[in-house]
Amino acid sequence: MIAGLLLAAGGGRRLGGRPKALLPYRGRPLVENAVRVLREAGCAPLHVVLGAAAQEVRERADLSGCVVVDNPDWAEGMGSSLRVGLASLAGTGARAALVSLVDQPGIGAAAVARVRAAYRSPASLVAAAYDGERGHPVLFGADRWADIAATAVGDKGARVHLTRHADELTLVECADVAEAFDIDTPPDLARLA
């Protein structure tokens, strides 16, 4: 069982404070697209970490079938959302967490499924690659969660763990099926059209 863990807590500081989860994409909130991608790639259960405008996201987005978790410390950065998300998976029986970010709509189910298929054991450490460069999504075997949580601070997320264990990391090339852009600034919003 490989859980999908969607980090969707960001406040969109560089977007004028527009929460990324609620950005319009194909007529619906962006968070719904990210959940659909994880579901289509075969991830279960699905856990979604909310932060900025969490109540509004719950009211406007269809997150049925997901475990929705609030990160009260979302403003501290992605690391706090990753810690909250991994903690929410404790006791689920998941052997790994496939972590994706809400603001990367160019990464679809094909790329997520490739990363998921690279799971080998609870010690697995896998990341999508784009022309050889590490990107998202990433897969963390359950044996790694405690160490990742201990080092996930600020906006670094799991970077410390990934750097320390680079020799154990499996990269899965996805540039042929996905585009790894982020929606971070107002000009990026054109990519949601």
Side-chain angles (χ1 to χ4, degrees):
M1 185 167 69
I2 297 175
L5 178 55
L6 176 62
L7 304 184
R13 184 180 69 253
R14 289 178 285 174
L15 290 167
R18 296 173 64 187
K20 291 183 178 185
L22 290 173
L23 293 173
Y25 183 64
R26 298 179 179 169
R28 298 295 307 155
L30 188 57
V31 67
E32 288 183 16
N33 175 71
V35 165
R36 179 188 54 76
V37 165
L38 287 170
R39 190 171 280 133
E40 288 179 2
C43 296
L46 297 179
H47 286 221
V48 179
V49 180
L50 299 180
Q55 187 57 41
E56 188 179 354
V57 175
R58 280 185 162 85
E59 292 167 2
R60 291 182 42 200
D62 179 4
L63 299 177
S64 55
C66 298
V67 174
V68 181
V69 186
D70 284 327
N71 175 12
D73 301 319
W74 63 268
E76 291 178 8
M78 188 187 345
S80 66
S81 290
L82 182 56
R83 289 192 311 270
V84 166
L86 291 174
S88 77
L89 291 170
T92 64
R95 294 190 189 106
L98 195 148
V99 180
S100 70
L101 307 179
V102 74
D103 68 345
Q104 294 187 317
I107 299 174
V112 176
R114 277 188 191 173
V115 172
R116 184 181 177 276
Y119 170 83
R120 296 294 175 264
S121 76
S124 288
L125 186 62
V126 183
Y130 300 90
D131 298 321
E133 293 294 316
R134 185 184 81 222
H136 288 93
V138 291
L139 181 145
F140 304 124
D143 290 355
R144 296 183 178 274
W145 296 354
D147 187 53
I148 290 167
T151 58
V153 294
D155 276 324
K156 289 186 176 21
R159 252 181 249 141
V160 170
H161 186 86
L162 290 165
T163 301
R164 284 184 187 161
H165 300 277
D167 58 329
E168 301 163 47
L169 178 64
T170 299
L171 290 177
V172 178
E173 187 57 50
C174 293
D176 60 319
V177 295
E179 292 182 89
F181 60 84
D182 297 343
I183 305 299
D184 284 334
T185 64
D188 297 334
L189 294 172
R191 302 193 89 152
L192 294 175

